[in-house]
Amino acid sequence: MQINYTLNLFILVILVAAGLWTVMTRSLIRSAIGLALTSVILTLLMFRFDSWLVTVFELSVCAGLISVIFISTISLTEPLTKSEVLKHMKARLARFIYLPLLILVVGVGLSFIKVNLNFQLPVAEIEADARKVLWNMRDLDLLGQVVIIMTGIFGVIVLFREMRRK
Amino acid sequence: MLSFFITTPLIVLMILNLPFRSLMKRIVFVVGLSLALIQAVLVALAIFGFWDIYSIPVSPMLRFNIGVDNLSLLLLLCNGMVVFITMLVSRSFIEEGEKRFNFTSLLLLSFAGVNGIALARDIFSLYVFIEVVSISSFILICFNKDRDAFEGAFKYIILSAIATIFMLTSIALIFLVSGDMSFEAVRAALDNSAHTSLVLMAIGLFLCGFFIKAGVVPFHGWLADAYTSASAPVSVYLAGVSTKAVGVYALIRIVVTVFGFDTPINKVLLFAGALSVVVGAIATLTQTDFKRMLAYSSISQIGYIVLALGIATPLGIAAAAFHFFNHAVFKSLLFVNAATLEIATGTREMDKLGGLAQRMPVTGVTSALACLSIAGVPPLAGFWSKLLIIIALWSSAHYNYALIAALASLLTLGYMLLLQRKVFFGSVGDHLARIKEGEWNLIICAIILAAVTVGVGVLFPFNLCKLIIR
Amino acid sequence: MTSVNPYLFFHIFIVTIMLFVMGFYCIFFTFNLVRALIGVELLIKAVTLLIITAGYVTGHMALAQAIVITLIVVEVVFIVVATGVVIGLHGHNGTLDTRKLRNLKG
């Protein structure tokens, strides 16, 4: 139990570090990679919390697909050249230098708060299998997923395909 | 039966995407139009009691956790009506073929999404359908790919994403104390929970999310840009039903059904509502763009709805729902008129227009009706809802807010008359001498909506009482 | 389901709030369109973490997983559409700088 706890704590620390790197790094590509890294670490945490089904989705979709989308967007829009990046960097640093400090203050400040941590709820009649819950209880969500995926398809048609024709 | 409201547009869309594309492209307009019309007529008949929407048995395949009450019926009716109008208007703006096919498909998906919002009985499903409507709105706003449209859409995207994050955080916190998502379970859990501060935080975040999505005043920055930069039919849709469903309807639904009324919630709603009423009305006076003026007036009218909701009495909720319906009607009508003007004169700057009532009699008369209805002149529909709001405020001893509502109503009359005088009255300028009335589809839209406004206003004392006070 | 260490949940709560601060800082203090979207993504990550933890702590793991799967689908569609808008803006302005977005005001 003690080892588990320490391990989880360690994962949390590197999660924060990855998030911070995502925000602070100066190149957009690295920022997108940092996002994927954050996603992977989140997946680790989910794995530790026994959510097997979600880990697959998070790893393939969030860490994989979304970083592909971001990186292709960045390369499509031709990011700045090296010298321009260096020029922008100073101004960026002036704006973002306070963030780690802010994060530290937030973390330390919050750890002094006392909260009631007893969230255990009765687990009597609920399903234990996520697949059954998804299909039997959350079927309206599934319908919503179908609608939203269709919307996404038409979004791609409208925003990307007609653009190329122009 | 109820699940057909969501599944039918979806199935129709899937059939439309089958082979025979050229045939489908020709019929898609008629199909979408008739679907929206059928829904509007069916729901209107249900509201007036010609058939019972509650008791039709469903096949076990399609038994979702959905339900309908008066408020959902109102949204379903608005949705059918406004989508019908939007499609008719789009005939003049979107050229036939591939583009109109995509436009109609997106509109149908959004239509299904709004129906989902109306029927959802579960906070996470509500969120999913809100997201459907928001995302299709983003795409529709930048449908014509103007630079302004992309800018407006991007602002909307970022603010909407922030609203989404607020809602999701709130959903997670609610999940933490309730362990379930359906409205009843959440309500019971929130009432009995020991984690008072957590519940309060969840409610506050949810309200903030809805305020952003509805464009209530501290968060109204995106609304005018999105409405103005979108093409004319999309503006009709956004103003008529999209942002109303996503923000205002969901707010009413969550506050009435899930959170229940509580003193802090009421205070926040009353204050935010009154602030939007006043700020929206004052900001309207300074605008020169026709559509931007309508957008700011929209903010002011949304303020009235939120204000009425904050009263927390049954009369207040009824007034909010009634004003919601009226606003969908007269604001769509004004945006239809804006579309007609845009297509006839090619400009939206009000200083360049004038005297158009002689040239465009139908547009002039219908927009005058809409303006008078918005300003609350009897016997039009807007008068009754504003009267209800002020009565409800007065009878629950919110005298200050009642005074603000009444004075802002005068301000509304002022800016609406200003708009009428600038655009439709006076003498015709030389450059406008050759202007003609709009096409038949725009005229039909204007006449239908004006007839609804006048009809509801005249018949309200007899019929609509049954609808709101059931 | 084993008993949950309440302190771990408290730490996760703190980490979520830290991620929120990062995400909002990233959205409000950047001048780059893509980076704003990355900030939004970071916020969605924080919410995902919160929902999964809530499911674990309350013992409603299955429901939490079902919700997160839907959330991920919604998130992907959102990001696709948003990047489409960003690419369109880049096509018009030739830059990703938000300070160039001055055509519309408030």
Side-chain angles (χ1 to χ4, degrees):
Chain A
M1 197 64 203
Q2 191 57 46
I3 295 170
N4 276 345
Y5 180 63
T6 319
L7 188 59
N8 286 337
L9 214 55
F10 178 67
I11 296 176
L12 282 178
V13 170
I14 53 173
L15 181 65
V16 172
L20 207 56
W21 191 62
T22 310
V23 180
M24 298 286 291
T25 182
R26 65 162 189 264
S27 119
L28 271 179
I29 294 275
R30 271 187 229 163
S31 196
I33 293 171
L35 191 66
L37 203 65
T38 317
S39 228
V40 171
I41 296 165
L42 187 61
T43 310
L44 272 181
L45 210 60
M46 286 172 173
F47 190 72
R48 312 253 333 137
F49 283 168
D50 308 332
S51 347
W52 320 109
L53 200 59
V54 182
T55 51
V56 182
F57 273 82
E58 178 78 23
L59 204 57
S60 62
V61 176
C62 288
L65 183 59
I66 287 189
S67 26
V68 169
I69 294 171
F70 269 123
I71 289 175
S72 45
T73 309
I74 293 164
S75 43
L76 268 178
T77 51
E78 299 162 337
L80 307 170
T81 57
K82 200 97 186 178
S83 59
E84 279 176 314
V85 170
L86 284 175
K87 211 173 68 189
H88 278 286
M89 201 180 74
K90 250 187 182 161
R92 247 186 74 73
L93 208 63
R95 277 179 285 132
F96 277 81
I97 193 76
Y98 305 106
L99 182 59
L101 208 68
L102 188 63
I103 297 290
L104 208 67
V105 169
V106 166
V108 173
L110 282 175
S111 57
F112 286 112
I113 294 178
K114 289 272 181 296
V115 285
N116 177 6
L117 288 170
N118 180 22
F119 286 109
Q120 209 88 47
L121 289 173
V123 207
E125 73 287 359
I126 55 163
E127 297 262 7
D129 190 346
R131 285 164 298 180
K132 275 187 187 155
V133 171
L134 191 59
W135 281 109
N136 296 339
M137 290 161 61
R138 313 294 311 173
D139 41 9
L140 191 58
D141 289 1
L142 286 180
L143 194 63
Q145 282 188 30
V146 175
V147 181
I148 209 163
I149 288 172
M150 301 269 288
T151 313
I153 293 170
F154 277 102
V156 170
I157 292 175
V158 169
L159 292 174
F160 290 98
R161 208 172 76 180
E162 291 175 0
M163 185 182 299
R164 189 171 304 154
R165 205 168 288 167
K166 203 162 79 179
Chain B
M1 182 63 210
L2 287 178
S3 52
F4 288 139
F5 279 115
I6 308 171
T7 47
T8 313
L10 205 59
I11 292 169
V12 166
L13 197 66
M14 286 178 176
I15 294 171
L16 287 174
N17 278 294
L18 289 179
F20 320 116
R21 293 275 292 190
S22 54
L23 172 71
M24 293 306 173
K25 271 177 201 158
R26 247 176 289 144
I27 64 169
V28 67
F29 183 64
V30 181
V31 169
L33 213 57
S34 45
L35 203 63
L37 187 63
I38 288 169
Q39 168 163 335
V41 170
L42 274 183
V43 176
L45 287 181
I47 284 176
F48 289 112
F50 288 102
W51 63 288
D52 194 358
I53 203 165
Y54 304 92
S55 63
I56 309 282
V58 287
S59 77
M61 273 291 288
L62 296 170
R63 199 171 47 221
F64 302 110
N65 181 18
I66 52 182
V68 69
D69 58 8
N70 294 344
L71 204 58
S72 337
L73 280 181
L74 215 53
L75 182 61
L76 290 175
L77 176 63
C78 290
N79 191 21
M81 190 173 64
V82 176
V83 169
F84 176 75
I85 299 291
T86 309
M87 283 191 187
L88 261 186
V89 173
S90 79
R91 193 185 157 276
S92 306
F93 284 84
I94 314 276
E95 70 235 42
E96 195 153 1
E98 183 81 21
K99 267 199 152 173
R100 193 181 288 170
F101 182 80
N102 290 340
F103 185 85
T104 314
S105 309
L106 273 170
L107 211 53
L108 276 181
L109 284 167
S110 194
F111 178 70
V114 175
N115 282 351
I117 292 177
L119 299 175
R121 279 294 169 280
D122 172 307
I123 48 175
F124 192 73
S125 305
L126 187 70
Y127 157 77
V128 172
F129 284 107
I130 283 177
E131 226 29 34
V132 170
V133 178
S134 304
I135 289 176
S136 45
S137 302
F138 305 152
I139 307 168
L140 285 172
I141 289 174
C142 39
F143 195 81
N144 276 348
K145 307 221 176 59
D146 303 337
R147 186 180 155 185
D148 285 1
F150 276 123
E151 270 187 44
F154 191 77
K155 271 184 196 161
Y156 189 14
I157 284 177
I158 290 296
L159 275 166
S160 170
I162 292 171
T164 298
I165 297 297
F166 282 164
M167 283 185 206
L168 277 173
T169 314
S170 174
I171 285 176
L173 294 179
I174 288 173
F175 185 43
L176 204 58
V177 296
S178 76
D180 200 354
M181 291 286 172
S182 67
F183 283 170
E184 300 83 36
V186 171
R187 174 147 206 181
L190 289 189
D191 284 346
N192 305 323
S193 174
H195 304 276
T196 328
S197 53
L198 211 59
V199 168
L200 212 60
M201 202 165 118
I203 291 177
L205 284 173
F206 230 128
L207 289 187
C208 265
F210 285 137
F211 283 173
I212 296 177
K213 291 245 180 194
V216 175
V217 150
F219 315 107
H220 64 291
W222 62 269
L223 192 138
D225 288 346
Y227 280 19
T228 316
S229 59
S231 69
V234 181
S235 300
V236 176
Y237 180 67
L238 283 177
V241 74
S242 163
T243 55
K244 300 291 172 303
V246 162
V248 182
Y249 171 83
L251 176 69
I252 300 177
R253 165 64 61 212
I254 288 282
V255 169
V256 171
T257 317
V258 182
F259 293 159
F261 287 100
D262 211 354
T263 320
I265 299 182
N266 295 347
K267 277 189 179 156
V268 169
L269 288 175
L270 282 170
F271 182 73
L275 196 66
S276 322
V277 167
V278 175
V279 174
I282 291 172
T284 313
L285 289 171
T286 63
Q287 303 302 323
T288 55
D289 184 319
F290 194 93
K291 263 162 97 176
R292 191 167 271 270
M293 186 164 184
L294 295 183
Y296 276 103
S297 133
S298 233
I299 293 172
S300 172
Q301 302 304 315
I302 288 171
Y304 272 107
I305 302 174
V306 175
L307 184 67
L309 184 65
I311 304 168
T313 55
L315 187 64
I317 300 169
F322 189 30
H323 200 63
F324 175 85
F325 174 76
N326 282 340
H327 183 235
V329 176
F330 52 57
K331 198 42 69 75
S332 317
L333 175 51
L334 281 171
F335 271 105
V336 169
N337 290 331
T340 318
L341 282 181
E342 201 180 334
I343 220 165
T345 65
T347 180
R348 298 197 307 253
E349 286 296 317
M350 289 193 293
D351 297 334
K352 293 182 189 160
L353 302 171
L356 288 174
Q358 305 163 17
R359 295 273 148 206
M360 311 166 85
V362 179
T363 311
V365 170
T366 50
S367 83
L369 281 173
C371 286
L372 292 179
S373 180
I374 268 195
V377 173
L380 297 166
F383 167 71
W384 298 107
S385 54
K386 282 201 177 164
L387 189 68
L388 275 182
I389 291 173
I390 292 172
I391 289 176
L393 278 168
W394 196 266
S395 63
S396 56
H398 294 297
Y399 303 115
N400 302 339
Y401 287 121
L403 202 63
I404 290 175
L407 289 179
S409 181
L410 287 182
L411 204 57
T412 316
L413 185 61
Y415 69 68
M416 278 304 161
L417 287 181
L418 193 71
L419 182 147
Q420 284 292 311
R421 199 176 63 85
K422 271 188 182 167
V423 179
F424 292 107
F425 300 155
S427 57
V428 192
D430 290 337
H431 59 295
L432 296 174
R434 304 168 67 86
I435 297 293
K436 287 204 197 90
E437 186 60 272
E439 291 177 58
W440 60 269
N441 50 343
L442 298 172
I443 293 180
I444 287 180
C445 291
I447 289 176
I448 291 175
L449 289 172
V452 172
T453 305
V454 176
V456 168
V458 174
L459 298 177
F460 170 73
F462 312 109
N463 265 329
L464 256 89
C465 286
K466 203 168 71 182
L467 160 69
I468 357 186
I469 309 164
R470 181 176 274 176
Chain C
M1 212 143 293
T2 53
S3 68
V4 188
N5 189 333
Y7 291 105
L8 180 64
F9 173 67
F10 186 48
H11 291 309
I12 290 179
F13 201 66
I14 294 176
V15 166
T16 317
I17 292 179
M18 284 164 142
L19 285 174
F20 271 129
V21 173
M22 280 179 219
F24 278 117
Y25 202 98
C26 187
I27 292 176
F28 289 125
F29 285 84
T30 189
F31 293 140
N32 189 304
L33 299 171
V34 176
R35 216 180 273 273
L37 291 185
I38 287 177
V40 171
E41 267 297 299
L42 213 55
L43 288 172
I44 297 180
K45 290 283 164 301
V47 170
T48 315
L49 176 62
L50 197 58
I51 291 178
I52 285 289
T53 317
Y56 191 67
V57 169
T58 54
H60 292 69
M61 201 68 246
L63 184 56
Q65 293 194 50
I67 285 171
V68 169
I69 288 172
T70 313
L71 177 60
I72 288 173
V73 172
V74 173
E75 173 191 350
V76 169
V77 175
F78 174 81
I79 285 298
V80 168
V81 172
T83 49
V85 172
V86 167
I87 291 175
L89 262 177
H90 182 266
H92 280 287
N93 287 353
T95 171
L96 290 176
D97 201 327
T98 46
R99 283 166 294 189
K100 294 282 189 294
L101 302 184
R102 286 287 178 264
N103 249 16
L104 303 167
K105 44 200 187 306

